């Protein structure tokens, strides 16, 4: 099968397409024929340095997949051959989603949202689960609460806006001015141009902050949280402020495979409450170009590779 692998840690040019052996499903695993593979910032970071991922031989990048079940291993009762599925298998172990076939534990996948194409579905798993696990499982966002989403037009951010809105929250998003109309269409109640305004000067009494940027953003965000507020930092554990007031909570969260979360996300998509924005679609052979575009940090929504 065709797969995109990393010849050596480094820039996008280190991604090459190779013919590799097609995997076979084992106990409780399924073989998925990949129709589309989502591209995420973690793909760039791991390609550059290997990071903390448990790599196989050869290193193969990517986690987001949408496709059809090609074969079912022993013990799998939830899927049959031909089922359309999507998911983020194995993270943070190697999944190798930039390929024609992927083997995944059955419960790292879920039925693909029926109203979405494979391209759209492949944009959802990692970013959607990150937003869901941060806002729902970690922060427990409730109706009427005020939620501030940083980088609200990005891959995680634009889905977080919609998930928070579906939970009944008042949603505030930061983004450049050119992306404000999109955020309003997605349900944001208030938008802030971070290039011209310091968000902490115009926002207050926030219940939940979702920080997908890192740096000083988390520390500045503590100023806008009310008593009982929750800050969820996504980039890394070092992005949680060293000193956090007693009246608020601040945590770092790393996404993990989640069958039930994928089903919840699919349900939102099927009732029209969650729509992935796909800005760029490229063929599998142009994975390096997808990384070049993504690393510029200007993408609205997601980049997706078309495989089948």
């Amino acid at each position: 099968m065709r797969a995109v692998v990393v010849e050596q840690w480094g820039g996008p040019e280190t991604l090459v397409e190779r013919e590799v052996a097609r995997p076979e499903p084992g106990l409780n695993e399924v073989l998925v024929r990949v129709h589309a593979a989502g591209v995420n910032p973690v793909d760039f970071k791991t390609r550059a340095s290997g990071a903390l991922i448990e790599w196989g031989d050869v290193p193969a990048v990517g986690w987001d997949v949408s496709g059809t079940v090609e074969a079912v291993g022993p013990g799998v009762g939830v899927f049959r051959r031909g089922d359309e599925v999507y998911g983020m298998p194995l993270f943070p172990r190697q999944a190798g989603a930039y390929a024609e076939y992927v083997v995944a534990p059955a419960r790292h996948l879920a039925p693909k949202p029926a109203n979405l194409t494979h391209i759209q579905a492949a944009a959802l798993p990692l970013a959607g689960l990150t937003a869901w696990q941060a806002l729902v499982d970690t922060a427990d966002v409730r109706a009427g609460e005020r939620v501030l989403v940083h980088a609200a037009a990005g891959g995680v951010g634009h889905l977080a806006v919609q998930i928070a809105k579906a939970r009944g929250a008042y949603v505030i998003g930061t983004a450049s001015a050119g992306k404000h109309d999109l955020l309003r269409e997605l349900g944001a109640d208030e938008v802030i141009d971070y290039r011209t305004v310091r968000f902490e000067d115009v926002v207050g009494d926030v219940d939940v902050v979702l920080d997908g940027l890192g740096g000083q953003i988390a520390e500045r965000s503590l100023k806008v949280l009310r008593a009982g507020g929750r800050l969820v930092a996504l980039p890394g554990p070092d992005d949680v402020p060293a000193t956090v007031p007693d009246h608020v909570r601040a945590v770092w969260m790393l996404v993990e495979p989640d069958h039930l979360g994928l089903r919840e996300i699919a349900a939102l998509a099927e009732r029209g409450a969650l729509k992935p924005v796909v800005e760029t679609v490229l063929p599998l052979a142009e994975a390096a170009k997808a990384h070049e575009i993504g690393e510029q940090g200007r993408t609205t929504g997601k980049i997706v590779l078309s495989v089948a």
Side-chain angles (χ1 to χ4, degrees), residues 22-42:
R22 193 180 88 169
E24 295 297 330
L27 287 169
N28 290 333
E29 292 181 334
V30 298
L31 176 69
V32 178
R33 182 171 182 261
V34 180
H35 290 250
V39 177
N40 295 286
V42 68

Side-chain angles (χ1 to χ4, degrees), residues 8 25 48 94 143 173 191 204 244-245 254 271:
Q8 61 183 35
Q94 174 177 312
V191 287
V244 178
L254 181 65
R271 74 169 193 252

Side-chain angles (χ1 to χ4, degrees), residues 19-294:
E19 288 289 328
V20 300
R22 193 180 88 169
E24 295 297 330
L27 287 169
N28 290 333
E29 292 181 334
V30 298
L31 176 69
V32 178
R33 182 171 182 261
V34 180
H35 290 250
V39 177
N40 295 286
V42 68
D43 302 357
F44 319 147
K45 296 174 183 177
T46 55
R47 181 218 68 226
S49 66
L52 299 177
I53 304 303
E54 299 175 25
W55 294 102
D57 186 20
V58 290
V61 293
W63 283 274
D64 278 345
V65 295
S66 182
T68 55
V69 174
E70 183 76 8
V72 176
V76 175
V78 292
F79 295 121
R80 295 181 297 178
R81 189 175 188 275
D83 286 347
E84 293 188 319
V85 295
Y86 82 126
M88 182 200 72
L90 297 172
F91 188 83
R93 291 180 288 143
Q94 174 177 312
Y98 296 5
E100 290 183 300
Y101 293 91
V102 165
V103 158
R107 292 191 179 273
H108 287 189
L109 305 168
K112 179 184 78 66
N115 61 328
L116 299 187
T117 66
H118 284 291
I119 294 292
Q120 292 172 312
L124 275 177
L126 195 146
L129 283 175
T130 299
W132 180 269
Q133 291 172 8
L135 294 175
V136 179
D137 297 338
T138 302
D140 190 23
V141 170
R142 301 177 184 181
E145 291 194 313
R146 290 165 58 83
V147 176
L148 172 61
V149 179
H150 290 298
V156 172
H158 86 286
L159 299 174
V161 166
Q162 297 175 76
I163 289 171
K165 196 64 185 175
R167 302 280 291 181
Y170 180 92
V171 182
I172 308 160
T174 67
S176 58
K179 300 176 181 179
H180 287 190
D181 286 346
L182 170 65
L183 290 177
R184 292 188 182 97
E185 290 175 12
L186 296 178
D189 298 285
E190 190 176 334
V191 287
I192 298 168
D193 184 356
Y194 68 90
R195 293 177 175 173
T196 60
V197 178
R198 288 177 61 86
F199 67 87
E200 63 266 41
D201 292 338
V202 295
V203 175
D205 291 327
V206 171
D207 296 285
V208 175
V209 174
L210 183 61
D211 172 23
L213 293 172
Q216 296 299 311
I217 295 297
E219 191 160 346
R220 291 167 57 193
S221 295
L222 292 177
K223 301 175 184 178
V224 308
L225 285 171
R226 62 173 51 159
R230 293 87 76 198
L231 168 81
V232 184
L234 301 177
D238 293 339
D239 292 297
V240 176
T243 303
V244 178
D246 291 339
H247 66 278
V248 300
R249 176 178 176 237
V251 298
W252 170 60
M253 191 214 79
L254 181 65
V255 68
E256 59 185 302
D258 182 355
H259 174 80
L260 294 179
L262 287 169
R263 283 187 172 274
E264 295 282 3
I265 290 167
L268 286 179
E270 288 174 348
R271 74 169 193 252
L274 183 66
K275 180 180 179 181
V277 173
V278 178
E279 182 177 82
T280 303
V281 180
L282 293 168
L284 179 64
E286 295 186 27
K289 182 178 180 181
H291 279 217
E292 289 173 2
I293 294 170

